[in-house]
Amino acid sequence: MSTPKQIVWTLLLALVGLNAAWAQRHEVLTDHVRTLRVVVGDQWNASPLLHLGGGDRMEISFDDLTHEYRRYRYRVEACNFDWTTNEGLFESDYLRGETGEQTIETFRKSLNTNMLYTHYTFTFPNERVGISLSGNYRIHIYDDDEEEDVALVCFSVVKEAVQISASVSTNTDIDQDREHQQLRFSVNAQNLRMTNPTKELKTVVLQNDRWDNAVVNPKPDFLTPNDLQWRYDKRLIFKAGNEYRKFEITNLRVPTLGVNKLRWFDPYYHAELYEGKRRVNYLYDEDQNGKYLVRSEEYDDADIQADYVLVHFTLKAEPLVEGDYYVMGDFSLQRFLPECKMEYQDDREAYEATVLLKQGYYNYLYLHVDDPEEAGTTAEAEGDFYQTENKYSILVYFRPPGGRYDQLVGVREMRFIPGK
């Protein structure tokens, strides 16, 4: 039997070598970096979106699972609407102030924790460097000594130039008040000088900030010189899913929300969640659509006083004929990580996964996945119910003829709650 320490490092090593097709999401590229977080202002559950010239700032933080100082630096890369690298811009085009690499100067060692770590943090934009163009960006965080990336942070900057109207209905082109929600939206682009809207304007639609089931550049159904409408595109009919499951590991003395047992096996804490079962009904439960918050009831400074816990997920289910179950949420960077893949245990007749997490409040789903490079589905474990509250995001990009980058000219975020 593997020791707890061996389990920890096996889980951490599974983070390495993730598929490049997921480059539009945050990514951890080394075994000793954990809990990569991006918080805009004081909104811990907000999307990584800034308004050009609006004074928005992100706090970017992560833990290095040692007490050894590492000189981490970062650089900012411009991306196209599809998150490929923009080769047509120079740093001086999209950065103001200083350009090139910046050193992460704020770091603190963990205090009285069983797992030692060093917490690194920096804000962006800051007094040294800022953004001068709208669009998509990627921050490369790298070890200055090794000259290798350890993490990637993706964010967008918007300069509003279009008006987006949107609605969501459970009366879809597939069914009515059953398993789906259909998004319809229009873009008023009268402030843009367009000659070929279908080529110059591109859109991305997200459900709960998930990129595995994102709809990229659906074609409009109706088009006028200033107005584009998407009304009947079946790609905009989303599986409704169910509310996210949730748990808290904010107290290491007694089990809290969603935790069945809390144990100490030297040298780590283990949190065993209540056994999950396939959901056959909808029951409203307020959630945060996959987000998580690092916090502790016992200490004031969770950034350096919260400990790490091995969290055991269990899903009671019959063995799958095809595909796998994954645990997914913002803690997994909205990716199907190898460590979040569940394994079937014959003796328990259930699927299990063990994930190393920092103390806090967490949302998660059990998704069925045939191919980790494709969309996960909710039907098998969570069910699909039209009543589910979901967040939908519409991003509109514009590149005029001869333009060198995709401007982000509009963003619409909305929470859909049937009957409201």
Side-chain angles (χ1 to χ4, degrees):
M1 178 179 294
S2 299
T3 66
K5 186 173 183 179
Q6 289 172 328
I7 293 174
V8 171
W9 288 108
T10 298
L11 295 176
L12 292 173
L13 289 169
L15 285 169
V16 181
L18 301 177
N19 195 294
W22 295 84
Q24 68 269 37
R25 300 308 297 149
H26 309 321
E27 187 169 3
V28 171
L29 300 167
T30 185
D31 59 350
H32 55 80
V33 167
R34 206 70 182 186
T35 315
L36 175 65
R37 301 194 69 229
V38 181
V39 178
V40 179
D42 58 358
Q43 302 178 52
W44 66 271
N45 56 356
S47 304
L49 174 70
L50 306 178
H51 291 79
L52 189 65
D56 299 337
R57 288 193 174 193
M58 302 181 297
E59 181 178 273
I60 300 166
S61 62
F62 60 92
D63 293 337
D64 183 315
L65 299 185
T66 70
H67 265 182
E68 299 175 2
Y69 169 73
R70 296 175 188 262
R71 180 180 169 85
Y72 286 118
R73 308 190 78 192
Y74 69 89
R75 63 180 179 86
V76 184
E77 172 189 41
C79 298
N80 300 310
F81 96 99
D82 60 358
W83 294 96
T84 55
T85 300
N86 185 314
E87 304 287 356
L89 292 177
F90 297 102
E91 280 190 345
S92 57
D93 292 324
Y94 59 86
L95 293 182
R96 57 175 174 77
E98 299 179 12
T99 58
E101 291 78 5
Q102 301 292 323
T103 301
I104 301 175
E105 298 177 341
T106 302
F107 60 93
R108 295 186 296 160
K109 294 181 179 180
S110 61
L111 183 63
N112 297 325
T113 57
N114 292 285
M115 175 167 284
L116 302 181
Y117 61 86
T118 304
H119 184 73
Y120 292 80
T121 183
F122 65 99
T123 59
F124 185 89
N126 52 56
E127 62 279 0
R128 292 183 176 179
V129 61
I131 293 291
S132 55
L133 300 177
S134 69
N136 292 340
Y137 293 92
R138 183 181 297 115
I139 294 178
H140 294 251
I141 301 172
Y142 64 96
D143 187 322
D144 196 33
D145 293 330
E146 301 293 335
E147 297 185 351
E148 293 183 353
D149 286 349
V150 299
L152 304 174
V153 171
C154 297
F155 69 99
S156 300
V157 179
V158 60
K159 183 178 181 180
E160 303 282 357
V162 301
Q163 295 180 340
I164 305 172
S165 301
S167 64
V168 180
S169 175
T170 59
N171 184 4
T172 76
D173 294 339
I174 294 178
D175 56 22
Q176 180 174 350
D177 293 344
R178 294 189 64 188
E179 299 177 357
H180 298 85
Q181 295 172 356
Q182 184 162 359
L183 178 67
R184 296 180 173 90
F185 69 97
S186 63
V187 175
N188 184 317
Q190 64 180 354
N191 293 327
L192 301 178
R193 295 182 179 180
M194 294 188 297
T195 57
N196 190 337
T198 57
K199 287 187 176 181
E200 298 166 20
L201 212 66
K202 295 181 172 61
T203 57
V204 175
V205 179
L206 305 175
Q207 181 192 55
N208 298 328
D209 291 330
R210 285 175 53 187
W211 280 92
D212 63 305
N213 64 346
V215 179
V216 180
N217 205 28
K219 298 302 179 184
D221 302 300
F222 302 100
L223 179 66
T224 68
N226 295 322
D227 192 70
L228 298 87
Q229 298 183 22
W230 290 259
R231 303 189 64 82
Y232 305 111
D233 192 326
K234 290 191 175 180
R235 295 174 64 194
L236 297 175
I237 301 176
F238 289 83
K239 286 283 192 178
N242 208 333
E243 307 298 347
Y244 279 74
R245 303 174 194 248
K246 56 190 179 181
F247 69 92
E248 287 185 345
I249 43 174
T250 56
N251 191 315
L252 295 180
R253 298 181 180 180
V254 295
T256 47
L257 175 68
V259 178
N260 182 30
K261 295 178 182 178
L262 185 65
R263 303 180 182 181
W264 166 259
F265 294 113
D266 190 21
Y268 303 111
Y269 284 100
H270 294 250
E272 181 181 311
L273 304 187
Y274 283 104
E275 184 177 78
K277 297 180 180 179
R278 184 182 184 278
R279 292 161 154 182
V280 296
N281 296 302
Y282 173 79
L283 179 64
Y284 176 74
D285 188 13
E286 186 172 349
D287 64 6
Q288 295 296 328
N289 294 323
K291 305 300 182 182
Y292 76 96
L293 175 66
V294 172
R295 61 184 296 263
S296 170
E297 294 179 0
E298 301 168 278
Y299 302 104
D300 295 329
D301 194 346
D303 286 342
I304 60 170
Q305 291 180 295
D307 215 328
Y308 275 85
V309 179
L310 284 170
V311 180
H312 300 266
F313 297 84
T314 303
L315 175 64
K316 190 76 172 180
E318 296 292 327
L320 292 168
V321 177
E322 295 181 348
D324 299 285
Y325 283 118
Y326 281 78
V327 186
M328 183 176 176
D330 263 26
F331 67 87
S332 69
L333 307 179
Q334 294 292 356
R335 297 167 176 268
F336 301 126
L337 298 180
E339 66 170 308
C340 294
K341 178 181 175 180
M342 307 190 78
E343 302 293 340
Y344 187 76
Q345 306 298 325
D346 291 316
D347 57 334
R348 299 192 62 178
E349 297 182 337
Y351 282 86
E352 294 182 351
T354 302
V355 185
L356 183 69
L357 297 174
K358 198 172 184 178
Q359 282 184 267
Y361 163 84
Y362 288 84
N363 279 194
Y364 67 101
L365 289 176
Y366 292 121
L367 294 185
H368 176 254
V369 180
D370 282 325
D371 184 339
E373 296 183 18
E374 298 179 358
T377 56
T378 45
E380 291 77 4
E382 306 295 351
D384 289 300
F385 304 96
Y386 75 93
Q387 303 99 319
T388 303
E389 178 272 326
N390 285 307
K391 172 187 171 184
Y392 290 94
S393 304
I394 304 166
L395 296 89
V396 180
Y397 298 86
F398 172 61
R399 181 182 292 207
R404 294 187 296 148
Y405 71 103
D406 294 318
Q407 307 170 34
L408 180 55
V409 294
V411 175
R412 174 69 188 278
E413 295 185 327
M414 58 182 295
R415 286 183 178 270
F416 171 69
I417 303 176
K420 293 187 177 181

